[in-house]
Amino acid sequence: MDIYDRLGVKKIINAMGTVTKLGGSLMDSSVFDAMAEAGKAFVDINDFHEKASAYIARMLQVEAACITSGASAGIAISAAACIAGTCRANILQLPDTTGMKNEILMLKSHRIVYDQALQLSGAKIVEIGYTSFNCIEMVEKAITDRSAMFFYCAEAAETRGSIPLEELIAVTKPAGIPMVVDAAAEIPPVAHITSYLQQGADAVIFSGGKEIRGPQSSGLILGNASLIEACSMNCSPNHSIGRSMKVDKETIAGIVRAVEVFTHHDYDAQTGVWMEQVQRIHAQCLEVKTIEGSVGFPTQPGIQPRGIPRFYFGVKGKNSKEIQEKLRTGEPSIHAGIEHGFVAINPQCLKEHEIEVVINAIRNLGHAD
Ligand SMILES: *Cc1c(COP(=O)(O)O)cnc(C)c1O
């Protein structure tokens, strides 16, 4: 009996990916060890947070880093940093932004449910353009002396109303407006750790509990030293907007160890394993005549990460929602997503022995009535 059994909570098979509502990702046992080790002594948390963040920055080859309690916290904290900077009076005054720049610019097609976190700082979101159209002239017109930050959502980069990051930076940089990129779930590819910064972004935000496989409530803001310094001052344990997004010493130790593991992970080999798994699922499911499917990568904006192959399928006579529901309510319960109309099996969080279980469940759907 584990903790879930004892509390009567059903365990599920996660064929969806690193989504928070299913528990994000599973940590390497050495990450648990690091957390347990950190739990055995008291330290100055500011000192630990600073040194751990600096070590992570070195490992990821970026100028500076700030450990947060998640990407969502990173969004709130970076907004507070862009508005209040390093001035303690300003930091404590938020979310009242009186006397400070408080407008955060965003392309309309980049609005996401997570951008609510920007507004925790007291910021006002200024939407630019239309869902289906945008142009750089509209961006130029939206810039005022109240502009505090530009927020770019990486997963929306391919939407019709988007503008390439570099074109935006060509306008925001001369205007002195920090560019912050939300790339919470954009790994793999690992190159994304540095690519947005190389394009000129001032900071990029990642979830620690997705493919980095750190504690679920961890995240990273990576970027230039001055903005990251402001982030740290607007972050726990300092009294600030970020104080309510506390990062404990165990989580700090956990994300440090997770980044060590992550930077040594062989993603060429990993991609090969994922590909073999989805191809195996594909081959065995298509033996059943009522099942049709293919192996591919996500192409629709908003579906991440793009670097992981999926098995897309349908069953004759059933729509995707019905199939998804049948898998979810089956025994064991399998959670799968729907991408461009097909049910999608994402191998990112599947354990090897679960592949067979998923194959059998899908084959049974094809055989049923
Ligand atoms: C997952 C996600 C977040 C939130 O990440 P947490 O680490 O769970 O707070 C923010 N933005 C995007 C685009 C995400 O996919």
Side-chain angles (χ1 to χ4, degrees):
M1 293 268 280
D2 65 14
I3 180 79
Y4 300 121
D5 297 332
R6 290 201 301 280
L7 295 178
V9 177
K10 202 174 159 70
K11 289 191 281 278
I12 58 174
I13 291 180
N14 178 4
M16 211 176 233
T18 55
V19 293
T20 294
K21 64 179 180 184
L22 299 183
S25 51
L26 300 183
M27 296 184 279
D28 187 77
S29 64
S30 68
V31 175
F32 288 105
D33 295 344
M35 294 175 79
E37 191 177 49
K40 292 195 172 88
F42 294 99
V43 288
D44 177 329
I45 294 297
N46 260 319
D47 186 39
F48 188 34
H49 183 263
E50 186 186 320
K51 285 175 178 154
S53 296
Y55 175 46
I56 285 176
R58 286 198 300 280
M59 283 193 281
L60 296 178
Q61 297 173 12
V62 296
E63 200 175 303
C66 174
I67 299 169
T68 66
S69 62
S72 192
I75 294 170
I77 289 165
S78 59
C82 289
I83 293 169
T86 55
C87 167
R88 276 189 208 282
N90 282 351
I91 289 170
L92 286 168
Q93 189 187 302
L94 296 187
D96 173 358
T97 61
T98 307
M100 300 174 232
K101 298 178 178 186
N102 71 341
E103 291 182 356
I104 296 185
L105 305 172
M106 279 189 82
L107 302 179
K108 188 178 173 76
S109 69
H110 284 225
R111 290 298 306 266
I112 43 165
V113 282
Y114 296 102
D115 67 37
Q116 186 177 27
L118 291 169
Q119 299 171 68
L120 291 177
S121 63
K124 185 172 150 262
I125 293 177
V126 175
E127 276 182 12
I128 303 171
Y130 304 90
T131 313
S132 58
F133 176 78
N134 234 314
C135 63
I136 209 75
E137 290 80 2
M138 287 175 158
V139 176
E140 285 165 342
K141 275 195 77 170
I143 293 174
T144 70
D145 57 6
R146 303 201 52 75
S147 308
M149 165 178 165
F150 199 109
F151 183 71
Y152 188 92
C153 183
E155 70 174 26
E158 308 290 329
T159 52
R160 279 171 66 206
S162 189
I163 295 177
L165 180 62
E166 280 175 302
E167 287 178 33
L168 290 169
I169 290 172
V171 172
T172 55
K173 193 143 253 164
I177 302 165
M179 174 66 74
V180 176
V181 177
D182 175 10
E186 301 294 323
I187 302 170
V190 177
H192 278 162
I193 293 279
T194 49
S195 65
Y196 303 105
L197 297 173
Q198 278 158 3
Q199 286 173 60
D202 294 279
V204 58
I205 298 164
F206 292 100
S207 187
K210 291 179 180 170
E211 184 55 31
I212 295 174
R213 298 181 193 245
Q216 238 303 272
S217 34
S218 70
L220 297 172
I221 312 172
L222 310 175
N224 69 52
S226 62
L227 182 53
I228 294 298
E229 190 201 345
C231 288
S232 299
M233 289 191 64
N234 283 275
C235 179
S236 172
N238 300 314
H239 291 290
S240 60
I241 285 290
R243 178 60 183 82
S244 56
M245 304 157 199
K246 183 192 282 184
V247 207
D248 53 82
K249 59 191 182 305
E250 294 79 9
T251 298
I252 295 174
I255 186 67
V256 164
R257 179 58 197 154
V259 171
E260 284 176 342
V261 175
F262 170 75
T263 49
H264 290 97
H265 195 63
D266 180 348
Y267 269 94
D268 290 335
Q270 179 65 73
T271 305
V273 169
W274 282 327
M275 190 48 104
E276 186 280 322
Q277 289 174 330
V278 286
Q279 281 170 345
R280 191 175 354 136
I281 300 172
H282 174 248
Q284 293 191 31
C285 289
L286 262 64
E287 286 170 9
V288 178
K289 290 287 161 276
T290 51
I291 299 173
E292 44 201 33
S294 62
V295 165
F297 289 86
T299 51
Q300 265 185 336
I303 295 175
Q304 306 310 123
R306 294 222 184 165
I308 299 177
R310 317 285 210 261
F311 170 53
Y312 297 112
F313 76 99
V315 179
K316 265 202 196 95
K318 294 189 174 68
N319 69 42
S320 293
K321 276 248 171 266
E322 285 172 67
I323 301 169
Q324 186 186 43
E325 196 54 17
K326 280 225 154 67
L327 289 173
R328 192 183 68 79
T329 54
E331 191 54 56
S333 168
I334 299 170
H335 286 242
I338 295 178
E339 297 174 17
H340 32 81
F342 294 95
V343 183
I345 301 294
N346 176 356
Q348 186 175 18
C349 293
L350 287 176
K351 298 169 196 151
E352 175 52 36
H353 72 268
E354 291 173 337
I355 302 283
E356 200 60 38
V357 180
V358 169
I359 291 171
N360 285 333
I362 297 173
R363 287 177 61 115
N364 285 339
L365 278 181
H367 284 131
D369 44 74

